[in-house]
């Protein structure tokens, strides 16, 4: 089957499910969306947030970009699309939590860690975008000089989630909502090799499993 036909067939199944078999959900969603969660995820085709987290349409408001990054508040005009989506979710939709969902084997982080010399041309979009996570790269190289490339990439994937959480905290509308007790921030990491979900614990200063790999439970 050609790819494009799979997509059209997929929509027909979606149509059958949500407009024929169980039409109530979309009938309600036509009145408006009320997601309680904003999720910042990666573009990677293997980490679809709604699929990973078992969500129905309307459950999560999602921003996806290369390496699931939140730019700093003082960003240049070219990076404001992500911040606009976050502002909409916090101020208009009044979500109660923001999850930054990173993942193993992230191509964006690999590009960052493999960086030799930084391109600075006008059209080096990936380079300029990944500059957001450059402090994570520097931190990992400094703290893990003996580690393998794979270990460093994993550490950078997780460290960049913390940079995004810090950048979130510095957005005035996010800070206001957090201070008022109406918003919480979370850093999650999908280990797609082990099939596990980890969450950042500030107390442990580490990513700890919240859903363990299946083989661990069976052991
Ligand atoms: Zn990625």
């Amino acid at each position: 089957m050609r790819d494009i036909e799979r997509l059209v067939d997929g929509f027909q199944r979606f149509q059958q499910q949500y407009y024929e078999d169980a039409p109530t959900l979309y009938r309600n969603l036509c009145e408006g969306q009320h997601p309680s969660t904003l999720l910042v995820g990666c573009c990677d085709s293997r980490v679809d947030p709604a699929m990973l987290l078992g969500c129905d349409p309307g459950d999560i408001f999602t921003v996806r970009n290369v390496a699931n990054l939140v730019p700093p508040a003082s960003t240049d005009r070219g990076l404001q699309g992500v911040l606009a989506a976050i502002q909409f979710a916090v101020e208009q939709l009044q979500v109660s939590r923001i999850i930054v969902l990173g993942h193993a084997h992230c191509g964006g982080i690999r590009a960052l860690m493999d960086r030799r010399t930084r391109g600075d041309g006008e059209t080096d979009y990936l380079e300029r975008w990944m500059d957001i996570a450059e402090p994570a790269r520097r931190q990992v190289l400094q703290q893990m000089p003996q580690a393998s490339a794979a270990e460093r990439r994993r550490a950078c994937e997780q460290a960049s989630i913390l940079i995004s959480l810090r950048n979130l905290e510095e957005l005035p509308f996010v800070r206001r909502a957090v201070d008022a007790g109406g918003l919480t921030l979370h850093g999650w990491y999908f280990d797609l090799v082990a099939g596990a979900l980890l969450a950042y614990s500030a107390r442990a200063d580490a990513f700890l499993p919240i859903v363990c790999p299946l083989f661990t439970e069976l052991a």
Side-chain angles (χ1 to χ4, degrees), residues 41-44 46-47 65-68 102-109 157:
C42 183
C43 297
D44 194 304
R46 301 164 294 180
V47 298
N65 62 55
V66 173
N68 42 270
H103 69 100
H105 291 206
C106 181
I109 296 296
E157 285 156 0

Side-chain angles (χ1 to χ4, degrees), residues 84-97:
I86 294 169
Q87 183 170 23
F88 181 77
V90 172
E91 292 190 338
Q92 305 297 319
L93 301 175
Q94 300 185 325
V95 295
S96 55
R97 74 185 63 83

Side-chain angles (χ1 to χ4, degrees), residues 92-175:
Q92 305 297 319
L93 301 175
Q94 300 185 325
V95 295
S96 55
R97 74 185 63 83
I98 302 177
I99 299 170
V100 177
L101 176 63
H103 69 100
H105 291 206
C106 181
I109 296 296
R110 174 184 278 270
L112 176 67
M113 292 304 289
D114 288 349
R115 188 181 268 189
R116 297 275 185 272
T117 56
R118 185 195 176 288
D120 56 3
E122 275 291 302
T123 54
D124 284 325
Y125 300 115
L126 185 57
E127 293 269 4
R128 283 159 57 195
W129 176 251
M130 290 309 301
D131 277 348
I132 297 167
E134 174 63 21
R137 173 180 177 270
R138 281 202 298 269
Q139 177 190 325
V140 167
L141 292 178
Q142 189 180 26
Q143 293 180 348
M144 304 175 67
Q146 308 301 327
S148 69
E151 289 168 334
R152 285 180 182 174
R153 283 197 295 271
R154 184 180 176 89
C156 189
E157 285 156 0
Q158 298 187 350
S160 70
I161 294 172
L162 302 188
I163 287 175
S164 288
L165 289 178
R166 279 203 298 275
N167 288 342
L168 276 172
E169 286 169 351
E170 288 173 9
L171 295 169
F173 47 90
V174 169
R175 200 167 50 235

